[in-house]
Amino acid sequence: MKGVYSPPGDYVYFRSQVPLHKIPIGTKQWRYYDFGPKAVPPLICLPGTAGTADVCYKQIMPLSMKGYRVISVDIPSVWNHHEWILAFEKFLDAIDVHHIHIYGTALGGFLAQLFAQHRPRRVRSLILSNTFLDTRNFSAEMPWAPPFIADSVDFVVSQVEMLSREDLASRLTLTADTVSVGPLLLTDSFITIIDTNDYSGIPQQLKDEVSERYLNARQAQLKTGGDFPFLSRPDEVNLHLQLHLRRVGVEPQPDLVPGISKGGGGGSSSEESEKKDPEDPPNDDKGSLDNPFAEPQLPPAPESSESHSSEDQLISNAKFCHFGDGDTTLKNQHTITTEFVMRLGREMFSVHLLSFYMASLYISLNCNLKLRPVV
């Protein structure tokens, strides 16, 4: 390894402001962030195979500062889709959340659709990104490992290394277990699809199937972003999340957001005082951090605009973000640096693949043992 991985400054600031919650529910250990006014129906973020609750930190804080409540969770060790539905429902009951909006990427988007299918009364809307409808293509090609993605980041690799072998094996099992999403009671108007047009671990054919299934859903095509647009293109993703929540009737309550001082003193949605988590990244030599998530307000709409002009302004900005990749101003707005995005070296990538390969072998061994005839 070349040196020690150092988390980015905005992530260090995020961890200093937002507490990590860990609760046992039955045999499952849930790890999650919950930030923003509790009076607002929450947006729940479900990561992909290689993600943890931390990978959506660029959505949690910016959206909560605008008055939304965001909950980002780890997918616990579950070994089939029926177990996932029951476990996720128990988690929602435990944190006293009944009606939800889900933002799911890759495997998280697939699990979100399954939960909406089997628990339609709880899911108010879906935002799906780089996801799929069934797992037949994956199960036919086990053992499976993600391809090299140029936009992969050290941050995601560091999160993969935090996962146990059991966690990785269970997520790969969910990907390989042959299951497909059935019809949803949720209408297409309550679904938004956010896909990237460059490198992605999800084949384009599978993403097209999602678009064809939900023909009347809102669709946003990001020209770049790879597998992790929530990290590499957070401004655009956050715009589309706000557009979606506004469209489905979620009203933010910025007046309930506690003030965050320039030195980093802010409030949390949790009423409990928690001790410093051992997983908190070191903040040596960081001093008093400014808020890296404080963004300038969107330019005001013209005076002649009607009441819906603010949404049109968001759409205009989102479209600009899609196709204006030559604009230097847009590049300067990204808090993620080029070094952070592209610094994935051979050694880190080897560890990344090794983790998935070991998990795949673990699954294959279990399958062989189950299929071995009893003598």
Side-chain angles (χ1 to χ4, degrees):
M1 292 286 178
K2 294 183 180 180
V4 179
Y5 170 75
S6 178
D10 58 351
Y11 176 66
V12 174
Y13 178 84
F14 163 79
R15 290 303 304 269
S16 72
Q17 300 296 314
V18 184
L20 173 66
H21 303 278
K22 297 178 182 178
I23 57 172
I25 304 175
T27 60
K28 310 300 178 188
Q29 178 77 15
W30 287 86
R31 181 178 176 275
Y32 69 100
Y33 295 98
D34 183 354
F35 206 59
K38 288 191 174 182
V40 178
L43 173 68
I44 296 189
C45 301
L46 297 179
T49 304
T52 65
D54 299 69
V55 299
C56 286
Y57 78 95
K58 288 180 179 289
Q59 284 68 56
I60 297 171
M61 195 157 226
L63 291 178
S64 65
M65 290 171 62
K66 294 180 182 296
Y68 295 99
R69 181 184 180 185
V70 183
I71 302 174
S72 183
V73 304
D74 273 3
I75 299 173
S77 297
V78 292
W79 299 95
N80 58 67
H81 300 90
H82 178 68
E83 186 180 0
W84 152 252
I85 294 167
L86 294 179
F88 189 48
E89 185 171 39
K90 289 180 180 178
F91 168 72
L92 296 178
D93 291 339
I95 64 174
D96 196 26
V97 169
H98 303 286
H99 302 125
I100 59 175
H101 305 266
I102 307 180
Y103 169 47
T105 66
L107 176 62
F110 177 67
L111 296 178
Q113 293 174 84
L114 286 177
F115 190 76
Q117 175 187 346
H118 293 278
R119 298 294 185 271
R121 294 183 178 180
R122 304 198 76 154
V123 180
R124 296 301 195 202
S125 71
L126 292 175
I127 308 167
L128 308 174
S129 180
N130 292 340
T131 190
F132 46 91
L133 290 173
D134 63 65
T135 57
R136 286 173 296 180
N137 289 278
F138 297 108
S139 60
E141 299 176 5
M142 284 295 292
W144 175 82
F148 177 77
I149 306 297
D151 292 67
S152 295
V153 293
D154 287 344
F155 181 80
V156 174
V157 176
S158 72
Q159 295 302 306
V160 171
E161 293 175 344
M162 290 174 57
L163 296 174
S164 67
R165 179 183 295 184
E166 182 182 15
D167 288 335
L168 276 172
S170 69
R171 296 184 187 188
L172 287 168
T173 301
L174 290 174
T175 306
D177 189 19
T178 305
V179 176
S180 60
V181 176
L184 304 184
L185 293 181
L186 196 67
T187 61
D188 290 359
S189 61
F190 286 84
I191 298 175
T192 295
I193 299 172
I194 306 175
D195 283 340
T196 55
N197 289 334
D198 57 349
Y199 302 102
S200 173
I202 305 300
Q204 186 61 45
Q205 176 185 354
L206 300 186
K207 294 194 288 186
D208 290 342
E209 290 176 358
V210 175
S211 299
E212 293 170 2
R213 169 72 67 89
Y214 311 116
L215 288 174
N216 296 318
R218 294 290 182 94
Q219 298 198 24
Q221 297 292 328
L222 304 184
K223 194 169 184 179
T224 60
D227 281 306
F228 317 118
F230 45 86
L231 282 170
S232 58
R233 311 290 282 186
D235 295 336
E236 293 93 315
V237 170
N238 291 347
L239 280 174
H240 287 297
L241 293 178
Q242 291 177 71
L243 280 171
H244 174 89
L245 292 173
R246 181 178 300 179
R247 182 164 51 84
V248 299
V250 178
E251 294 294 335
Q253 298 190 20
D255 54 314
L256 299 181
V257 178
I260 297 179
S261 66
K262 192 172 182 179
S268 165
S269 63
S270 174
E271 297 178 357
E272 302 175 357
S273 59
E274 298 188 357
K275 298 180 180 179
K276 180 175 176 61
D277 195 280
E279 296 180 9
D280 285 344
N283 56 357
D284 297 340
D285 301 326
K286 297 291 181 181
S288 181
L289 294 174
D290 291 346
N291 183 1
F293 299 99
E295 301 175 355
Q297 296 294 325
L298 290 172
E303 295 181 0
S304 60
S305 300
E306 298 180 0
S307 60
H308 63 275
S309 60
S310 58
E311 181 167 339
D312 293 338
Q313 181 69 34
L314 285 174
I315 296 174
S316 176
N317 278 273
K319 289 182 178 179
F320 170 76
C321 292
H322 294 167
F323 304 105
D325 47 357
D327 191 281
T328 56
T329 303
L330 176 62
K331 294 178 182 178
N332 292 334
Q333 291 177 352
H334 294 304
T335 57
I336 185 169
T337 64
T338 303
E339 180 182 0
F340 171 60
V341 177
M342 304 302 294
R343 201 182 55 184
L344 185 61
R346 291 182 179 179
E347 293 88 351
M348 295 294 291
F349 183 60
S350 298
V351 172
H352 183 58
L353 285 182
L354 181 60
S355 299
F356 280 94
Y357 181 65
M358 291 297 295
S360 299
L361 291 178
Y362 178 81
I363 296 171
S364 300
L365 178 60
N366 281 349
C367 292
N368 292 334
L369 290 176
K370 291 179 181 179
L371 295 175
R372 182 181 298 171
V374 178
V375 179

